[in-house]
Amino acid sequence: MTEVFKGRLAILGMGYIGLPTAVAIATRGIDVIGVDINPATVAAISRGEVPFVEPDLAVAVSGAVAMGRLTATTQTPEADAFIIAVPTPFNEDRTANLSYVKAAAEQIAPRLKPGNIVVLESTSPPGTTEKVGKWIGALRPDLRMPRNGDAIADVFVAHCPERVLPGRIMIEMVTNDRVVGGLTPRCAEKAASIYRLFAQGEILLTDAESAEMAKLSENAYRDVNIAFANELSMICESLHIDIWEVIRLANRHPRVGILSPGPGVGGHCIPVDPWFIVSAAPELARLIRTARDVNDRRPHDVAEQVVAKAERFRSPTIACLGLTFKANVDDARESPAIEVVSLIAKALPEVEILVADPYVPTMPELLKGYGNLRLENAHEAVERADIVVLLVEHEPFRALRHTRLGGKVIYDTRGAWR
Ligand code: SAJ
């Protein structure tokens, strides 16, 4: 019979993945303890609040906390299962920084009892789940850690990569298929019992390295496809052909689905994860590396286009709309829009640049050093500008098309005003 998890569950990392996962499980009647090193995050969750914006999450968190199913703490407690959902950023040489994962494994180790499950959800290079098993094993020689070929283990270790899309997390958390890769087949089975609590999609069992590589491949696939769209966009700009018309027409072919060009690729996942593949096989990952380079170059291309437009004016005012890394989220970290704005501000120190974003109430740290930048509301910024640059297609910006843009030079990097 397929097993469904019962018991207490701890999740380490209360960010964009850990907190929604905690809520999804808590609302299925499981006691969930959210663990985070940041006391402010723990305090917010304990009050039933969410420290970031994600549709439908706030109401779910306040409900789960009010029911007493979700609690938060800075200390890893004893539990029957542990999910690691901490960041895996990259080092300067673009290899994965596994220090948060290692710290989480080391906090879990002293709490483990025979029969416990440990699941790594953080996106990780091939071999990381095995390392988690080794880090735990080194601290707990009394426990039999799972090894391929051995039927018996005291603890079950698996990888179940998160794959939800920011902005749609609460929906995708439930509806997406899940890949669960175990250090042994029994580990995969045990980990799957947790996801059966709330996942309506299929749960696909495999080994840990295949699961790790599948997740990286998903994000590299998207990065390569966005790079294709960005490269086409630059080619069309140079040939004075409308890229949006080209994509509209090409996508009417039954086997073509070109993605949207933009000012670059941001967020914490897509610009990072492909590098884990590159560093695992540097000689072979040529296309994946090139896609990264194309997308990383994109903010520079966009800024150069804006500067060229500004040179047609004696004393222009430029409005830049959007600062977050993509539309309708409040996350402005790793945002190509911010990079574009800083490049323009640096190239045109005498030009007044008005920036607007309904999700960003204060000037981002990276932009504070530029005396020619001002944060404005979008209407005011557009009203006063000679050149309007759309960097993020937030819903409220789309409506501007109908009223405010007449007589201005427009650079719509997202195709939202077509
Ligand atoms: N972007 C474009 N053009 C497009 C699509 C996206 O320029 O056609 C840009 C966005 O503006 C943004 C960046 O790419 O700057 C990434 O945005 P996204 O919406 O593609 O992805 P993320 O980073 O929000 O989430 C991705 C998702 N991965 C895939 O779709 C394969 C999500 O499912 C993952 O869970 C997430 O990465 C993650 O955490 O790994």
Side-chain angles (χ1 to χ4, degrees), residues 366-395:
L366 287 171
L367 298 179
K368 277 189 179 154
Y370 299 99
N372 53 339
L373 286 183
R374 278 236 330 269
L375 202 60
E376 264 298 351
N377 77 60
H379 291 284
E380 185 71 20
V382 169
E383 201 72 49
R384 295 199 29 223
D386 304 295
I387 302 169
V388 180
V389 185
L390 183 74
L391 294 170
V392 186
E393 71 281 29
H394 291 311
E395 220 39 67

Side-chain angles (χ1 to χ4, degrees), residues 53-246:
V53 173
E54 176 63 36
D56 302 327
L57 179 61
V59 62
V61 168
S62 68
V65 170
M67 279 191 320
R69 287 286 182 205
L70 174 62
T71 54
T73 166
T74 53
Q75 300 303 316
T76 304
E78 286 203 344
D80 301 295
F82 299 84
I83 292 178
I84 301 173
V86 297
T88 42
F90 55 23
N91 298 310
E92 237 158 60
D93 65 355
R94 286 163 170 162
T95 57
N97 173 351
L98 298 179
S99 60
Y100 299 104
V101 175
K102 187 164 190 240
E106 288 172 352
Q107 282 158 36
I108 292 168
R111 306 273 175 245
L112 283 173
K113 300 180 299 298
N116 284 181
I117 307 167
V118 179
V119 183
L120 175 66
E121 276 213 21
S122 314
T123 304
S124 303
T128 308
T129 311
E130 203 178 325
K131 283 186 182 154
V132 168
K134 289 201 172 119
W135 289 326
I136 293 173
L139 293 171
R140 292 295 303 271
D142 56 312
L143 293 174
R144 279 171 302 186
M145 297 307 290
R147 270 202 308 263
N148 234 341
D150 286 2
I152 298 169
D154 288 328
V155 178
F156 305 99
V157 182
H159 183 47
C160 179
E162 59 86 5
R163 3 159 74 169
V164 287
L165 192 73
R168 283 178 48 84
I169 291 179
M170 298 307 281
I171 299 164
E172 293 202 358
M173 180 71 69
V174 175
T175 57
N176 286 0
D177 293 342
R178 295 300 294 241
V179 174
V180 181
L183 288 186
T184 64
R186 182 81 187 119
C187 291
E189 251 309 318
K190 286 297 243 180
S193 73
I194 299 172
Y195 295 91
R196 279 196 198 104
L197 284 164
F198 64 93
Q200 286 168 9
E202 218 176 303
I203 296 177
L204 308 158
L205 302 188
T206 184
D207 60 279
E209 278 208 311
S210 299
E212 288 160 345
M213 195 61 190
K215 164 67 197 199
L216 299 179
S217 306
E218 290 161 19
N219 279 357
Y221 171 88
R222 195 152 171 85
D223 198 42
V224 168
N225 281 282
I226 298 171
F228 178 75
N230 280 337
E231 183 166 297
L232 268 188
S233 160
M234 289 184 274
I235 292 167
C236 285
E237 268 162 21
S238 80
L239 299 176
H240 305 290
I241 297 170
D242 179 354
I243 179 65
W244 305 103
E245 181 66 356
V246 170

